[in-house]
Amino acid sequence: GGREVELLYTPGHTLNSMCLLDLASRGLFLGDALGTLAGSRVVMPQAFPTQFDLETTLQTIDRLEALRPSLVYPSHFGPARDVALAFSSAREVVVTWKDVALEALRAGEPAEAIVDRFQALVDGYPAEETSPSPYARAPFRVMLGLCVTGYTLYFRRKGLL
């Protein structure tokens, strides 16, 4: 149909992640590059095993934000209209969850306790930004468990555990 898109290599979540930028509209199709969004807020980083890398994820977030997209389209639940919130919350969430996971793992907490900590973070986001929540509790907790594993593997690779 005559549309031009730029294919962007966006590692962090995985080594082979890609995003698409519509050059005419400046709409950015994210995949999972920023994390899981509810509205315009990132509520969960995509820190899934086995390829998650924190520094690369943050570099990708910065690079995507520098493109100055007009709208961002995550993989699920529709567009994020507040682009600034999407990027700022992506940074906040990936770093906050890293801090929470590292503290808990160093204290010897089991994975399920860390899932509870992550769930409390999600539950603490402003209701107007995350409601109605698209996340059913049980399947979402499985995703939170994957984040625990992703951060754990990342910390081991970095020699932090």
Side-chain angles (χ1 to χ4, degrees), residues 38-41 43 85 121-134:
S40 293
R41 171 172 284 286
V43 297
L85 177 60
L121 289 171
V122 172
D123 292 345
Y125 295 130
E128 65 274 7
E129 294 171 355
T130 59
S131 293
S133 175

Side-chain angles (χ1 to χ4, degrees), residues 47-140:
F48 297 169
T50 59
Q51 300 175 349
F52 169 73
D53 184 85
L54 177 68
E55 292 80 14
T56 306
T57 297
L58 290 169
Q59 290 168 359
T60 290
I61 292 168
D62 290 343
R63 204 171 109 237
L64 292 173
E65 186 175 33
L67 297 171
R68 302 179 57 80
S70 61
L71 201 60
V72 292
Y73 300 91
S75 291
H76 311 283
F77 311 119
R81 300 192 185 286
D82 186 338
V83 174
L85 177 60
F87 284 107
S88 66
S89 63
R91 270 188 215 87
E92 172 196 332
V93 165
V94 76
V95 171
T96 298
W97 286 41
K98 181 257 313 172
D99 294 342
V100 167
L102 187 57
E103 175 187 303
L105 289 165
R106 284 181 171 167
E109 290 185 30
E112 191 60 29
I114 302 169
V115 167
D116 290 341
R117 286 177 173 237
F118 286 168
Q119 184 68 61
L121 289 171
V122 172
D123 292 345
Y125 295 130
E128 65 274 7
E129 294 171 355
T130 59
S131 293
S133 175
Y135 305 108
R137 192 67 132 194
F140 190 60

